[in-house]
Amino acid sequence: MVARKLVDDGLHPCPIRNVLDRLGDRWSLLVLRTLAPGAMRFTVVKRTIGDISQRMLAQTLRRLEQDGLVTRTVHPTIPPRVDYALTPLGQSLMEPLDALVRWADEHHGAVRAARQAYVPPTAEAA
């Protein structure tokens, strides 16, 4: 049996957790959905998302590229033009992601109502 290091290389012994931890961050799924229609420049992605910082967008795109979900293409122009697009692997995520988005849209009201109605257990009950 080969031991895996649990370091910044993203390896985790559970493959589901390994992938979902990365995709479940605050920005990755939003960036992927933004790129679904086709290649976009960095500034267009940032403007489309709106409230993401330039630094966080750069980090998120880098991680998605590292995971094989996004490509980064530098065009030899002055100034250089950089486009980001989904890879075939990234495109394959759109169908399940769209189903999740539809579910969230349909059930958002029920989830909000449950959150408002929730009463945390008291210390004695726990």
Side-chain angles (χ1 to χ4, degrees), residues 7-117:
V7 293
D8 288 341
D9 60 7
L11 292 179
H12 190 279
C14 175
I16 295 168
R17 189 163 154 196
N18 178 271
V19 172
L20 293 182
D21 280 353
R22 185 66 72 100
L23 293 176
D25 68 17
R26 183 172 181 184
W27 299 109
S28 291
L29 293 179
L30 188 55
V31 169
L32 290 168
R33 292 244 13 232
T34 300
L35 291 172
M40 291 183 183
R41 294 178 74 168
F42 182 94
T43 54
V44 175
V45 175
K46 183 171 181 340
R47 187 179 15 208
T48 302
I49 294 173
D51 58 344
I52 189 170
S53 71
Q54 186 166 330
R55 180 174 184 262
M56 185 53 64
L57 178 56
Q59 288 176 353
T60 302
L61 286 165
R62 196 170 314 125
R63 283 194 312 269
L64 293 172
E65 184 180 8
Q66 177 186 12
D67 288 346
L69 300 171
V70 169
T71 60
R72 178 179 185 268
T73 304
V74 180
H75 300 276
T77 59
I78 298 176
R81 189 178 111 212
V82 180
D83 288 330
Y84 294 89
L86 296 181
T87 64
L89 183 62
Q91 285 287 348
S92 74
L93 183 57
M94 290 303 98
E95 184 178 344
L97 179 56
D98 288 343
L100 179 61
V101 168
R102 278 191 307 277
W103 183 92
D105 189 44
E106 291 169 10
H107 297 90
H108 184 247
V111 171
R112 286 181 61 119
R115 287 178 185 165
Q116 290 177 343

